[in-house]
Amino acid sequence: MNVSWSRSLTLRLTLLFALAAALVLFLLGLLIGNLVEHHFVQQDMEALSGKMELTQHILKRNSKTQGNKELGRQLDDALTGHHGLVVAVFGPSVQPLYSNENLVFPSALLNAPSANGAERPIKWTAADGLPWRGISATVTAGIDGNTPYTIAIATEISHHEHFMSGFRGTLWVFITLATLAIGLLGWVVVRRGLAPLHSIKRQAAEITANRLHTRLPAEAIPLELAALTDTLNDMLSRLEESFRRLSDFSSDLAHELRTPVSNILTQTQVTLSRARSADEYRDILVSNAEEFERLSRMIADMLFLAKAENKQIIPNQEQIELAEEVASLLEFYGMLAEEKDVKVTLLGKGVVTGDRLMLRRAISNLLSNALRYTPNGGAVTLQINGHPSTVTLTVKNTGASIPAEHLPRLFDRFYRADSSRLRTTEGSGLGLAITRSILIAHGGDVRVDSADGTTQFTLSLPISG
């Protein structure tokens, strides 16, 4: 059997169906055979028991009259017309007194007679090969009424044996053919039952990268496969979303890399178009170095995000006072706040466990964004709140609200809510994605809300780390 058939669900279900049917039919065949056999035993027992009672009656009556000769005549008269029936009478010490035919009874029958012959009969095969079934019983008679006699009665059952042999042969042939027929019908039923799976297979095979929006119809699917269909549709939704994000990311990445490379190439070509002074060459190299630094930062950020997505970032664990770290960052961004006349306020305290450098980077990204997009004369508020199991840091700034349709994708790589404005800045579009990766690596989360001229980022960190 090849590999495809050995893994075929249709074949497995068909074989299991056929085996179950064969087992049921086999047990049914045994039951029917035993019932028929028991019926023949009952028939034989009725005949044997009747002759046993008659023989006992004759033996008791004869014991009071003329002796063994009269007993033989009376038994012969009683057995007239009963072919295949043998009656034998034995005296004390199993001494033969009478037998209508020459038949050797087994010792097991003669040595253990019952009181009335109603015990289970004994079956044996005579020297000539004929099968017999017989019973035996004891009776006390004689002139004194105390002489023990053993009566053995047997009937030839060859016609029963021939019938049972043919019956069993026919029965087993029928069971075999019935099993094959049930197996064939089972195969048909299984094929029809698995038809929805083949339909799902055909429909799934038609789904390509350009048709990820296609969904499997659940209306015509059996109830048992509805969960599978829902799971596949959910998977297609996730794949469509991931593919879209990957496509957007590839496009954004190409654009982000094209800009500095184009700047460097254009500037270099212009420089080489004519001879220039050493100071001019120095200025051009400085400008190129700035573009290379931008490329280097972008590559480093991409590597950081790749490690985060593959869970290769393992933060150090140390006690961190958030208020102290935020205050340290405010000193660094103080000059930018003063230039824009932005009022910065820090409120609250909280201690968390995590990697100091990573958390400083995440907070710095949010603080930098807040100061960058807060208009002159605006305000930035940082609020630290302690909760039973978490500590939250909220970075709130005034300014234009972010449209609601942009909020769910704000933490995507290279995503910008206002691309025309943001491409003029130094940001690479990776800051918020890195912030989220850092928070996830610490077992926390970050969310954003923007409405009524206020944008608020909330970092949530577990106290225990």
Side-chain angles (χ1 to χ4, degrees):
M1 181 179 296
N2 56 36
V3 176
S4 61
W5 274 101
S6 65
R7 295 179 180 177
S8 171
L9 182 60
T10 301
L11 178 62
R12 291 184 182 182
L13 291 177
T14 300
L15 290 178
L16 289 174
F17 193 68
L19 288 175
L23 178 60
V24 173
L25 290 175
F26 174 75
L27 295 176
L28 181 62
L30 290 179
L31 177 61
I32 293 175
N34 289 334
L35 288 176
V36 174
E37 177 72 21
H38 181 70
H39 172 70
F40 285 136
V41 172
Q42 290 295 106
Q43 282 186 336
D44 293 339
M45 281 297 297
E46 290 178 4
L48 293 174
S49 298
K51 293 305 176 183
M52 178 63 73
E53 293 178 3
L54 178 60
T55 303
Q56 289 177 335
H57 177 71
I58 293 174
L59 186 61
K60 290 180 179 179
R61 186 179 63 183
N62 179 266
S63 64
K64 299 178 182 179
T65 56
Q66 299 178 4
N68 293 337
K69 290 183 179 182
E70 181 64 19
L71 172 64
R73 185 186 64 79
Q74 292 180 11
L75 289 176
D76 288 338
D77 293 340
L79 296 175
T80 301
H82 292 278
H83 300 288
L85 189 66
V86 178
V87 177
V89 179
F90 301 88
S93 301
V94 197
Q95 178 184 359
L97 299 180
Y98 170 82
S99 178
N100 64 328
E101 289 187 18
N102 186 19
L103 177 65
V104 178
F105 288 86
S107 58
L109 182 66
L110 299 178
N111 293 335
S114 64
N116 53 12
E119 297 293 333
R120 182 176 181 85
I122 293 179
K123 178 182 175 182
W124 77 95
T125 301
D128 56 2
L130 293 177
W132 293 83
R133 180 176 287 118
I135 60 175
S136 64
T138 59
V139 63
T140 55
I143 298 175
D144 56 2
N146 294 321
T147 303
Y149 292 92
T150 299
I151 304 173
I153 302 179
T155 182
E156 192 262 323
I157 57 172
S158 59
H159 58 291
H160 290 173
E161 293 294 303
H162 290 313
F163 175 84
M164 288 302 301
S165 177
F167 176 77
R168 288 193 176 95
T170 303
L171 183 62
W172 296 130
V173 170
F174 171 78
I175 289 176
T176 301
L177 295 177
T179 301
L180 294 177
I182 291 175
L184 179 60
L185 292 175
W187 180 81
V188 174
V189 171
V190 171
R191 289 283 296 180
R192 290 182 61 86
L194 294 180
L197 278 180
H198 294 290
S199 176
I200 292 175
K201 174 187 174 183
R202 290 192 301 269
Q203 295 172 8
E206 297 174 356
I207 298 175
T208 62
N210 296 325
R211 299 186 58 187
L212 288 176
H213 61 279
T214 305
R215 297 295 180 268
L216 301 175
E219 295 78 12
I221 299 299
L223 182 61
E224 291 78 6
L225 298 179
L228 174 62
T229 304
D230 293 340
T231 301
L232 290 176
N233 285 334
D234 291 341
M235 180 191 69
L236 289 174
S237 299
R238 293 193 299 271
L239 286 176
E240 182 183 15
E241 175 65 16
S242 299
F243 193 84
R244 181 188 60 77
R245 294 178 62 180
L246 180 61
S247 179
D248 293 344
F249 167 70
S250 300
S251 177
D252 291 338
L253 179 61
H255 184 86
E256 293 293 337
L257 292 177
R258 183 181 62 181
T259 300
V261 171
S262 178
N263 292 340
I264 295 172
L265 179 61
T266 301
Q267 191 165 252
T268 302
Q269 290 174 342
V270 171
T271 302
L272 295 176
S273 64
R274 63 181 177 84
R276 299 179 184 276
S277 65
D279 290 337
E280 290 177 324
Y281 281 122
R282 185 178 297 105
D283 292 339
I284 293 171
L285 289 177
V286 170
S287 177
N288 288 348
E290 292 177 353
E291 294 295 337
F292 283 126
E293 288 178 359
R294 180 182 176 187
L295 283 174
S296 178
R297 288 195 302 270
M298 184 183 302
I299 293 173
D301 290 342
M302 289 299 302
L303 289 175
F304 181 89
L305 289 173
K307 290 181 179 181
E309 290 182 355
N310 290 279
K311 301 186 184 302
Q312 295 179 358
I313 296 179
I314 304 177
N316 295 323
Q317 299 297 316
E318 58 179 311
Q319 294 291 324
I320 301 173
E321 173 56 63
L322 282 181
E324 295 179 0
E325 298 300 323
V326 173
S328 175
L329 289 172
L330 290 179
E331 293 179 3
F332 178 79
Y333 286 102
M335 186 176 296
L336 176 61
E338 290 178 1
E339 289 180 358
K340 300 184 66 175
D341 192 23
V342 174
K343 180 181 179 181
V344 181
T345 306
L346 172 61
L347 303 173
K349 292 183 178 181
V351 178
V352 297
T353 302
D355 190 295
R356 186 181 302 274
L357 293 179
M358 287 187 185
L359 292 180
R360 281 178 65 91
R361 185 175 185 181
I363 299 172
S364 176
N365 288 337
L366 296 183
L367 185 56
S368 173
N369 279 345
L371 291 174
R372 184 181 302 141
Y373 301 122
T374 300
N376 293 340
V380 174
T381 303
L382 295 95
Q383 176 72 53
I384 301 174
N385 294 313
H387 303 279
S389 58
T390 60
V391 172
T392 59
L393 170 61
T394 302
V395 181
K396 181 189 302 184
N397 68 282
T398 58
S401 301
I402 302 174
E405 64 269 17
H406 295 296
L407 294 180
R409 299 191 58 195
L410 207 58
F411 295 97
D412 292 351
R413 290 170 293 188
F414 295 122
Y415 186 80
R416 292 180 172 90
D418 187 356
S419 57
S420 61
R421 180 182 64 179
L422 294 178
R423 294 201 186 279
T424 63
T425 66
E426 297 179 356
S428 62
L430 298 175
L432 293 180
I434 291 175
T435 297
R436 182 179 62 175
S437 297
I438 292 174
L439 268 293
I440 292 176
H442 282 77
D445 197 7
V446 58
R447 69 177 187 273
V448 59
D449 300 290
S450 185
D452 300 327
T454 301
T455 300
Q456 175 178 299
F457 288 85
T458 303
L459 294 91
S460 178
L461 287 165
I463 292 179
S464 58

